[in-house]
Amino acid sequence: GDKVKQSPSALSLQEGTNSALRCNFSIAATTVQWFLQNPRGSLMNLFYLVPGTKENGRLKSAFDSKESYSTLHIRDAQLEDSGTYFCAAEADNMGYKLTFGTGTSLLVDP
Amino acid sequence: DAGVTQTPRHEVAEKGQTIILKCEPVSGHNDLFWYRQTKIQGLELLSYFRSKSLMEDGGAFKDRFKAEMLNSSFSTLKIQPTEPKDSAVYLCASSPGSSNERLFFGHGTKLSVL
């Protein structure tokens, strides 16, 4: 089965609203990264997390290694937030290898 | 721009050709990765270098895919011979390494094999 399961797979938001994306892990994740792939294909690193939370502008992410999940909260969604969000986990027994989720496709409408 | 640089942005090849994709990692990063991205398979790791040494050579991708890192600031991915199923976006990424694996990606090379 999927080692990193992302939900939802697709999401449509009105500009100005809030939402949360989630990743559940069936591996012993030690660090988590969140990426945004924009419509042109560029992958941008949003967060690199050890267990805990981080905030950057309208984005906030949390990683709970004991409960094996991570969340990405988007506040006051803007048109430029549209794209595909990927989470990726590093696990102790997999060394450097990141296991990627299948992504959440987000569309922000005006 | 001091990010990861990949060339070319697009490549069109005939079946059976040899193509070479290029990558320059972020200056000072020790780890370099090559990934392939398709809609069906998502992101797949092809190769991984740590301090220029090949640590992962991609398992199922070994036979026609060869990544090299001749110096700390340049890597190539050769596909020989190309097949239509190789059509994908090839992404290079680098990270500082040494317990900081925060990954930075290049813009990718979109390969179409006819």
Side-chain angles (χ1 to χ4, degrees):
Chain A
D2 292 343
K3 293 175 182 171
V4 177
K5 211 162 204 173
Q6 280 191 248
S7 60
S9 57
L11 183 60
S12 190
L13 289 179
Q14 286 269 245
E15 205 174 3
T17 59
N18 306 331
S19 191
L21 313 181
R22 187 176 174 106
C23 276
N24 288 314
F25 310 115
S26 60
I27 53 176
T30 52
T31 67
V32 173
Q33 301 188 46
W34 282 92
F35 301 88
L36 168 58
Q37 189 164 36
N38 67 24
R40 286 192 312 278
S42 296
L43 265 159
M44 184 167 55
N45 192 303
L46 300 174
F47 290 105
Y48 172 66
L49 292 155
V50 293
T53 60
K54 277 191 180 175
E55 197 162 349
N56 185 5
R58 295 179 295 102
L59 301 180
K60 183 175 179 177
S61 185
F63 169 38
D64 187 329
S65 57
K66 287 182 185 158
E67 299 297 322
S68 299
Y69 76 90
S70 178
T71 54
L72 177 68
H73 292 262
I74 303 172
R75 178 174 52 81
D76 184 24
Q78 301 295 305
L79 299 178
E80 62 263 28
D81 296 333
S82 296
T84 303
Y85 289 79
F86 291 97
C87 66
E90 181 186 353
D92 258 341
N93 62 348
M94 295 165 73
Y96 57 87
K97 280 193 186 183
L98 285 180
T99 303
F100 281 82
T102 50
T104 293
S105 178
L106 174 67
L107 179 64
V108 180
D109 290 315
Chain B
D1 188 332
V4 178
T5 304
Q6 286 188 251
T7 54
R9 292 294 297 271
H10 302 275
E11 178 80 59
V12 179
E14 297 278 341
K15 181 185 169 183
Q17 267 187 274
T18 296
I19 62 110
I20 296 176
L21 311 181
K22 303 179 183 86
C23 174
E24 295 173 34
V26 174
S27 177
H29 279 190
N30 282 325
D31 291 356
L32 184 139
F33 303 79
W34 283 99
Y35 286 89
R36 183 171 83 168
Q37 186 178 30
T38 59
K39 280 200 167 73
I40 294 171
Q41 299 292 339
L43 279 149
E44 300 171 283
L45 180 66
L46 301 175
S47 293
Y48 162 55
F49 293 87
R50 169 151 282 183
S51 301
K52 300 186 293 178
S53 296
L54 183 63
M55 308 297 285
E56 167 80 35
D57 64 357
F61 296 98
K62 268 162 105 159
D63 59 342
R64 296 181 299 106
F65 292 72
K66 184 179 172 71
E68 291 186 312
M69 196 159 187
L70 300 176
N71 60 57
S72 60
S73 57
F74 185 69
S75 176
T76 58
L77 176 67
K78 182 194 287 187
I79 309 175
Q80 179 184 35
T82 51
E83 297 182 7
K85 66 181 179 181
D86 299 332
S87 297
V89 176
Y90 290 81
L91 291 157
C92 178
S94 70
S95 68
S98 304
S99 304
N100 179 356
E101 299 299 339
R102 182 170 185 168
L103 209 56
F104 294 88
F105 281 89
H107 291 294
T109 294
K110 185 172 181 179
L111 173 65
S112 300
V113 183
L114 308 173

